[in-house]
Amino acid sequence: AIQALNYADFISFRDKNSLSIFNKYGGKNGFISSDPAFLFPKKNIEKKKRFVGINIINPSLLRMKNSEIEIITNRYIDLIQQLKGHGNSVIVFTTEIRDFKYANEIANKIGIDVQNIDSIKKLVDIYNEIFVIVGTRMHSMITAFTQEIPIIGLEWQPKIGELFKYLNITEFCQPILSFSIEKIHKQIEDIKVGKSVQSLNYINQMINEQKEMLNINTQKAIELSTRRF
């Protein structure tokens, strides 16, 4: 695979870890870029947002042991119940159909509904109600960020941690097997009262940086491709 990729003049990677692995095995012409999802335009309506959004992933898809799945399930339930116990309204949603059945099982145990998002319109509609997202699916978090919504991540794969690294908010990302509910609650309370690092200005600054990186690399790719002709 590396040999085939080395025929290309330009290969973009959205995080440093992926690029370092590529280089480690003899890769050439690799460049750091960003995720194109950061180009998604802001569509949310300016209105008061009331909900904490919980984006759930099905851990059985992650090749985890039954004991680990049980830990994650109990942590999800405890997180939602404690957030509700502190007066937060919670929306549980999925952006991947394979997560829905599992998320619904959790929601049924707590007595709330779960929403499966199967279109961009539904995603934007639900983000119009959410002021912070506790997420697992990377693109659900990136899309939330483009809608000026602070993100808190539960890491189940290195790419999730890398997302928070290049947004320089690693303190908002924890392992899915051992995340601190108390820490998440504190971060949500800080967001509520405007004390969080993830201010509106900071989010827009990060989005603009990602867009600029994508633009630079697009121009670089065009330049390299033009040289061939």
Side-chain angles (χ1 to χ4, degrees):
I2 297 292
Q3 288 179 338
L5 287 171
N6 280 340
Y7 283 105
D9 292 320
F10 181 90
I11 305 167
S12 66
F13 293 87
R14 63 188 174 193
D15 61 78
K16 292 180 180 179
N17 186 52
S18 298
L19 177 59
S20 66
I21 292 172
F22 177 68
N23 290 336
K24 177 182 176 181
Y25 291 98
K28 301 175 182 177
N29 302 322
F31 297 86
I32 285 290
S33 185
S34 186
D35 196 297
F38 280 105
L39 298 174
F40 189 73
K42 182 178 180 295
K43 293 178 177 287
N44 60 347
I45 301 168
E46 298 297 337
K47 66 178 184 179
K48 186 170 178 61
K49 301 184 174 190
R50 301 182 296 113
F51 293 93
V52 176
I54 309 290
N55 171 233
I56 286 180
I57 193 170
N58 180 356
S60 66
L61 302 174
L62 312 181
R63 297 181 180 178
M64 288 187 165
K65 300 174 183 176
N66 288 337
S67 59
E68 293 174 324
I69 293 173
E70 184 178 359
I71 289 171
I72 293 170
T73 300
N74 290 334
R75 298 300 283 164
Y76 271 136
I77 292 171
D78 289 346
L79 172 64
I80 295 167
Q81 288 180 327
Q82 288 194 37
L83 288 176
K84 287 171 65 66
H86 284 98
N88 294 286
S89 298
V90 176
I91 291 178
V92 175
F93 70 100
T94 61
T95 51
E96 160 63 63
I97 190 62
R98 293 177 298 168
D99 298 331
F100 181 73
K101 182 179 178 182
Y102 171 78
N104 202 43
E105 290 171 358
I106 288 177
N108 286 339
K109 290 178 181 178
I110 306 170
I112 61 176
D113 294 327
V114 59
Q115 299 189 41
N116 184 57
I117 308 302
D118 57 6
S119 70
I120 290 294
K121 183 182 183 303
K122 283 187 179 180
L123 186 64
V124 172
D125 286 346
I126 202 169
Y127 282 172
N128 282 330
E129 304 290 336
I130 291 172
F131 71 88
V132 60
I133 176 175
V134 181
T136 48
R137 291 289 182 185
M138 188 172 75
H139 288 105
S140 70
M141 288 188 282
I142 293 177
T143 307
F145 210 67
T146 66
Q147 305 308 297
E148 300 177 342
I149 299 171
I151 57 177
I152 297 171
L154 304 180
E155 183 178 3
W156 54 275
Q157 195 177 50
K159 67 180 182 181
I160 305 299
E162 289 297 314
L163 168 64
F164 284 80
K165 280 182 184 177
Y166 65 69
L167 293 176
N168 199 25
I169 50 172
T170 53
E171 67 271 28
F172 289 90
C173 185
Q174 301 184 63
I176 194 170
L177 270 169
S178 59
F179 62 88
S180 165
I181 294 174
E182 291 73 21
K183 183 176 181 179
I184 290 175
H185 176 249
K186 174 65 167 58
Q187 289 172 335
I188 290 173
E189 291 304 306
D190 286 347
I191 289 166
K192 277 185 182 178
V193 299
K195 291 172 58 178
S196 175
V197 170
Q198 292 191 66
S199 65
L200 183 61
N201 287 339
Y202 184 82
I203 290 173
N204 281 312
Q205 176 190 335
M206 289 295 102
I207 290 171
N208 289 334
E209 286 184 11
Q210 302 309 311
K211 287 181 177 179
E212 180 61 21
M213 191 183 302
L214 284 162
N215 182 56
I216 290 170
N217 280 288
T218 298
Q219 295 304 315
K220 191 179 295 183
I222 291 172
E223 179 185 343
L224 286 168
S225 64
T226 304
R227 288 179 188 173
R228 283 188 170 273
F229 302 100

